[in-house]
Amino acid sequence: MNILIAVLVMGIIICIHELGHFTAAKLFKMPVSEFAVGMGPKVYSYDTVNTTYSFRAIPVGGFVNIEGMDIDSDIENGFNKKPAYQRFIVLIAGVFMNFLLAFVVLFFTVYSNGTYKPDNSPVIGEVFKEAAANEYIHSGDKILDIDGNVITKWSDIGAAVSKVSEEKNNKVEITVLRDGKEEKLTVPLTKDPQEDRMILGVVPNFIKEPVSVGEATKLSIKSGVKIFTNTLDGLKMIVTGKVKTKELTGPIGIIKVVGDASSQGASVVLWLMALISVNIGVLNLLPLPALDGGRLIFVILEMIGVKINKKLEERVHLAGMVFLFGLIIFITTNDIFNLAK
């Protein structure tokens, strides 16, 4: 089931991307011979007067076959016969749809789930498993007193623990309200792995608060921009060699990650869908031959008056296609080895 969910997520992302190209091409009356979901041999197809809609055997990827992209093509209204601005819109439409999908998914997640803010009351929401206090205090306990310091709000807990730890005490006397009864406990503190201090190792309860449409929109855009910048940072790390090649993940690895995440609930899967959709959008914008970004470079040059040798452009894209296929094979092999481990 997890694999099916992962394949469905990837299928939706790819389908939405190709739908962008397809819709823009149809808008400018470019002939589209096929809209395919998946790769490899056809499993099912439906023919119309102008376009064949098909599902293919390998449930990863997809494509839109827009007629007239070959330099020798003489097809009426073909891609290369259209004005440069129309070709630009067709090429950018797939990326635009990836970003739009991410926004819609993030908006739906934020609006339906609301936001969570920490409760200011001194009630334990969770005790870290690594904390020594885990054996003594529990979720739902209300802390009333720490070593004679009255606790009325959550921030009082940290202040009291800091005061006690400064006195070189590794244990605190805590009074908690549990199941309507007060209990006095001697609770050991834990060394904070990040800082040179002793901590209790607890977090508060979180209160769910609904958000308005405007707030959900702002949070969704903010989250989308954050994913975008993180993706660029990740690419920079790959180029500079800070990320090892064995750590790269392709379609198989992504499907595994999404499949594993599906057990954590729909919200996590939806967030991953937004993340992957933005990543695919950014990758397609890279100025590499055969990718949308590589084709966009040539169209932009044409739009600003730079004459392009179409045969040279075709050779560049062909070389880029060979490179991409090689990269896909390498990353897929890497995924298989990682799964075997």
Side-chain angles (χ1 to χ4, degrees):
M1 179 58 74
N2 289 357
I3 294 177
L4 288 176
I5 292 173
V7 170
L8 178 63
V9 167
M10 290 298 295
I12 290 173
I13 293 171
I14 298 299
C15 188
I16 290 295
H17 178 93
E18 298 302 335
L19 184 63
H21 293 312
F22 175 81
T23 304
K26 287 290 189 179
L27 176 66
F28 295 121
K29 302 187 184 306
M30 296 180 188
V32 180
S33 60
E34 184 176 0
F35 182 104
V37 177
M39 304 295 284
K42 292 180 183 178
V43 174
Y44 171 80
S45 64
Y46 176 75
D47 295 322
T48 66
V49 175
N50 298 314
T51 306
T52 296
Y53 301 88
S54 65
F55 287 95
R56 293 178 174 255
I58 305 173
V60 177
F63 63 88
V64 171
N65 191 7
I66 302 173
E67 297 291 331
M69 298 189 79
D70 298 330
I71 58 171
D72 297 326
S73 175
D74 196 36
I75 295 175
E76 183 180 0
N77 289 322
F79 181 83
N80 283 328
K81 289 192 174 184
K82 291 293 184 177
Y85 81 90
Q86 292 186 7
R87 283 179 274 141
F88 178 90
I89 292 173
V90 170
L91 291 171
I92 202 73
V95 173
F96 170 78
M97 289 297 285
N98 278 132
F99 292 156
L100 180 61
L101 173 63
F103 169 76
V104 170
V105 169
L106 289 170
F107 177 85
F108 173 79
T109 304
V110 172
Y111 187 71
S112 59
N113 291 334
T115 58
Y116 289 83
K117 295 184 178 180
D119 187 358
N120 196 38
S121 66
V123 177
I124 304 301
E126 184 180 354
V127 185
F128 294 131
K129 292 181 179 179
E130 300 82 2
N134 189 45
E135 297 181 12
Y136 301 86
I137 55 180
H138 312 298
S139 176
D141 287 350
K142 182 177 182 180
I143 297 180
L144 303 176
D145 180 278
I146 297 179
D147 267 32
N149 298 284
V150 178
I151 306 299
T152 59
K153 56 185 183 295
W154 183 263
S155 58
D156 292 340
I157 298 174
V161 170
S162 296
K163 182 180 177 181
V164 174
S165 62
E166 286 175 2
E167 299 170 357
K168 307 301 181 181
N169 291 329
N170 292 329
K171 293 183 178 181
V172 290
E173 300 296 328
I174 298 180
T175 304
V176 301
L177 183 65
R178 180 183 296 169
D179 298 327
K181 297 179 181 179
E182 290 188 13
E183 294 190 25
K184 293 185 179 296
L185 308 169
T186 300
V187 181
L189 299 176
T190 301
K191 179 72 177 294
D192 188 341
Q194 304 296 327
E195 300 179 29
D196 185 21
R197 60 170 185 160
M198 302 299 289
I199 59 173
L200 197 56
V202 294
V203 293
N205 277 315
F206 283 82
I207 303 172
K208 180 178 178 179
E209 294 185 352
V211 295
S212 66
V213 171
E215 289 173 325
T217 300
K218 290 179 182 178
L219 288 171
S220 301
I221 293 174
K222 185 178 180 180
S223 297
V225 171
K226 183 66 175 176
I227 294 173
F228 182 86
T229 55
N230 286 344
T231 302
L232 293 180
D233 290 339
L235 289 171
K236 183 179 178 181
M237 291 175 67
I238 292 173
V239 172
T240 56
K242 293 182 179 179
V243 175
K244 297 179 181 178
T245 53
K246 65 180 182 180
E247 296 175 357
L248 298 177
T249 298
I252 294 176
I254 292 173
I255 287 175
K256 183 182 184 303
V257 170
V258 176
D260 292 344
S262 63
S263 61
Q264 300 178 39
S267 294
V268 176
V269 174
L270 289 173
W271 185 86
L272 273 175
M273 178 186 283
L275 174 68
I276 297 169
S277 190
V278 171
N279 272 258
I280 289 176
V282 172
L283 289 174
N284 271 280
L285 277 179
L286 292 178
L288 297 176
L291 290 178
D292 293 338
R295 294 185 180 278
L296 281 168
I297 293 296
F298 285 98
V299 174
I300 291 171
L301 289 173
E302 186 177 339
M303 290 173 69
I304 62 177
V306 178
K307 290 186 177 180
I308 304 297
N309 185 315
K310 292 297 182 181
K311 288 188 177 181
L312 174 62
E313 179 184 350
E314 188 176 60
R315 292 193 191 101
V316 170
H317 290 315
L318 180 61
M321 187 69 72
V322 172
F323 170 77
L324 286 176
F325 272 123
L327 183 62
I328 290 170
I329 292 171
F330 170 78
I331 293 177
T332 301
T333 303
N334 195 43
D335 282 342
I336 293 171
F337 276 115
N338 288 336
L339 283 175
K341 291 179 182 178

